[in-house]
Amino acid sequence: MAPWRCLLLLPLLAAAARAQQQQFMEYVERRLTLLEERISQWHDQSSRYSTELRDFKNQVLGMLETAEKEREAMRSEAESAAVRVDRLEREVDYLETQNPAPPCVEVDETLMEKQVATAKQRKNEKYTKLTDCSDTIASVRAMKILKRFGSTSGLWTKDAAGNSEKIYVFDGTANDTVYVFPRMREFTLFSATRKAARIKLPYPWVGTGHLVYDGHLYYIRQQGPGPFQVIKFNLANKTVVDSSVFPAEEQIPVFGLSPFTYIEVAADEEGLWAIYATKEDEKNICLAKLDPTSLDIEQMWDTPCPRENAEGAFVVCG
């Protein structure tokens, strides 16, 4: 009985092996078919993405080309505008030389000669000029913007009595920090305060009437509603040399178009001056001669120059 059973089991095992092999081959075929479908889908998607990327690249190149053309057109327009502005400035300067500004007052020539003689006599009695100036102001040209810097109001200046090339910048109308640029080039070319040193003042300044003179900074201070002070600050050792309360009562802004400036310190061949205004003579500008050493007031004048529509003033040759 055992040999017959073996003969019967062999065909059954062979049939089972063939069936498993057939199933495995069908499984492999299904997996390969699925893989081919996925490869085909990936190929289609890759081709579509490549087409979209190529179209996007062409679109970007077209936009860059258009932007470059527009930039070139804007540059040409800017150059043309600069040429027109330069031409306009030259024309304005020419018109200013042909039509000088009128004097503060118009009087009869004979009366003017008498007033000049009387004024000279009085001046010789009280105030003696230190220099004999032979040069006069021929014209004052329109303001040109060198640089946009910080606040809309402020002041930049150089040492009025020295040969230093340093530029001192007061940003705004009230602060306690002065920016110092080594030369005009750094002030005009570099942005913000990257090339500037900073001087921290012991007292804050107000207005835009400050002055650098002979290595010292003369600036205006007001503490609360009190009187104005002139501070003399040594720029070398960063110390206050002297200070003085300005002896004027009921002060008002010295210039009608600069409501934040009550005193402007100026310098000329004669030394230091203070330009100011008071309610007593509120229509005109007043002038005072300052001693640069002690800050004492040597003499004061009521001028006929009007405050209205004025934005600045200067003193030359006394």
Side-chain angles (χ1 to χ4, degrees):
M1 292 297 292
W4 288 102
R5 290 179 181 176
C6 292
L7 292 175
L8 291 173
L9 288 174
L10 288 175
L12 292 175
L13 292 173
R18 285 196 299 272
Q20 289 180 353
Q21 185 178 6
Q22 183 65 28
Q23 292 177 356
F24 176 75
M25 293 299 296
E26 292 176 355
Y27 171 77
V28 171
E29 289 179 356
R30 288 196 304 271
R31 297 298 295 178
L32 289 175
T33 302
L34 183 61
L35 184 60
E36 289 177 353
E37 292 177 355
R38 291 184 177 179
I39 291 175
S40 179
Q41 292 177 359
W42 175 82
H43 180 74
D44 294 340
Q45 292 177 355
S46 176
S47 178
R48 185 171 68 255
Y49 291 156
S50 298
T51 302
E52 293 177 355
L53 181 61
R54 184 170 56 254
D55 295 340
F56 178 73
K57 178 182 177 181
N58 294 333
Q59 183 180 1
V60 170
L61 290 176
M63 294 173 64
L64 290 176
E65 184 177 357
T66 303
E68 182 65 22
K69 292 180 180 178
E70 293 178 353
R71 188 184 70 84
E72 187 67 23
M74 291 180 63
R75 187 182 64 81
S76 300
E77 293 179 0
E79 291 178 352
S80 177
V83 172
R84 291 197 296 270
V85 169
D86 290 339
R87 186 185 303 117
L88 179 60
E89 287 182 346
R90 289 195 299 270
E91 293 175 356
V92 170
D93 292 342
Y94 173 77
L95 291 176
E96 288 179 348
T97 57
Q98 298 300 314
N99 301 282
C104 296
V105 291
E106 296 181 1
V107 297
D108 182 75
E109 292 184 358
T110 305
L111 178 60
M112 181 180 294
E113 291 177 358
K114 292 180 180 179
Q115 290 178 345
V116 168
T118 304
K120 285 184 177 180
Q121 183 179 357
R122 292 178 179 176
K123 185 179 296 184
N124 291 333
E125 294 175 355
K126 295 183 179 181
Y127 171 70
T128 303
K129 292 185 66 175
L130 302 176
T131 57
D132 184 15
C133 302
S134 58
D135 298 330
T136 59
I137 297 296
S139 64
V140 179
R141 296 188 176 184
M143 178 183 66
K144 293 179 175 61
I145 296 176
L146 294 176
K147 178 185 179 64
R148 302 287 184 184
F149 184 97
S151 305
T152 56
S153 300
L155 166 74
W156 70 267
T157 184
K158 298 173 70 174
D159 193 328
N163 296 322
S164 174
E165 296 184 0
K166 291 182 178 180
I167 304 296
Y168 299 88
V169 180
F170 297 76
D171 183 17
T173 58
N175 208 325
D176 62 354
T177 301
V178 180
Y179 298 96
V180 185
F181 290 84
R183 287 176 298 275
M184 178 65 73
R185 175 182 175 84
E186 282 76 6
F187 175 47
T188 55
L189 292 184
F190 293 98
S191 61
T193 59
R194 185 160 56 91
K195 290 291 181 178
R198 291 173 172 82
I199 298 178
K200 187 80 168 180
L201 300 179
Y203 310 114
W205 44 265
V206 294
T208 58
H210 321 295
L211 176 73
V212 178
Y213 183 82
D214 195 21
H216 292 83
L217 167 62
Y218 297 82
Y219 71 96
I220 307 303
R221 177 200 183 196
Q222 185 183 28
Q223 189 172 8
F228 290 92
Q229 288 181 286
V230 180
I231 308 295
K232 181 179 180 181
F233 182 80
N234 190 306
L235 293 170
N237 55 29
K238 308 296 188 297
T239 58
V240 173
V241 178
D242 203 350
S243 64
S244 175
V245 175
F246 194 74
E249 298 179 356
E250 296 185 329
Q251 286 186 238
I252 58 178
V254 61
F255 307 121
L257 300 182
S258 298
F260 36 74
T261 299
Y262 284 76
I263 300 175
E264 177 161 344
V265 185
D268 73 341
E269 297 83 355
E270 298 292 302
L272 291 186
W273 305 81
I275 305 172
Y276 66 101
T278 64
K279 285 186 178 180
E280 184 179 357
D281 187 14
E282 62 179 351
K283 292 184 178 181
N284 297 326
I285 295 173
C286 299
L287 184 66
K289 182 70 174 65
L290 292 177
D291 184 336
T293 303
S294 64
L295 300 180
D296 292 336
I297 303 297
E298 298 179 355
Q299 193 171 340
M300 305 177 83
W301 293 267
D302 295 329
T303 77
C305 300
R307 293 175 51 252
E308 185 180 4
N309 296 327
E311 192 172 5
F314 61 90
V315 183
V316 58
C317 196

